[in-house]
Amino acid sequence: QVQLVESGGGLVQPGGSTRLSCTASGLTFISVTFPTFTVSWYRQAPGKEREMVARIHSASGNMEYSDSVKGRFTISRENSKKMVYLQMDNLKVDDTAVYYCNLWYFNDYWGQGTQVTVSS
């Protein structure tokens, strides 16, 4: 089965940086290659709905960011390693959330999430 594993979360000071990683495995079970997927990072803060923060569309390669992270976060992918990254710079307290990796190709696949806490 498809598995996504996020890593890289933790406690970061305001203004600091960190990078999240997501590794995909089990794609052979669904006969879809990694480059075919649109890849995204979502986050969910306590008491709030899950929101998309960054995405790379598979067909166009275009990147999309939420207004709240534009100019501070950068999404990237490394197809040969089946990995997705989220570089997070100039972090703010409001960025505190559980961050989830998502792959989409007519079905959604989710990781278990990694906690990012921005606090002094």
Side-chain angles (χ1 to χ4, degrees), residues 43-46 92-99 115-119:
R43 69 184 180 187
Q44 187 166 21
K92 304 177 180 180
V93 172
D94 287 348
D95 294 320
T96 296
V98 178
Y99 284 74
Q115 176 71 47
V116 175
T117 301
V118 184
S119 175

Side-chain angles (χ1 to χ4, degrees), residues 4 12 16 28 31 39 50 54 56 72 76-77 81 92 98 100 102 105 110 114:
L4 304 179
V12 186
T28 55
S31 300
V39 297
R50 190 174 295 188
I56 301 178
R72 300 188 298 120
S76 61
R77 66 191 298 169
K81 295 184 178 180
K92 304 177 180 180
V98 178
Y100 297 90
N102 172 270
Y105 183 68
W110 295 92
T114 185

Side-chain angles (χ1 to χ4, degrees), residues 41-56:
W41 286 95
Y42 285 73
R43 69 184 180 187
Q44 187 166 21
K48 294 187 176 181
E49 293 186 356
R50 190 174 295 188
E51 62 169 346
M52 190 278 294
V53 295
R55 174 173 292 154
I56 301 178

Side-chain angles (χ1 to χ4, degrees), residues 16-33:
S17 298
T18 193
R19 189 176 80 156
L20 305 183
S21 300
C22 171
T23 303
S25 62
L27 301 185
T28 55
F29 290 102
I30 57 172
S31 300
V32 181
T33 60

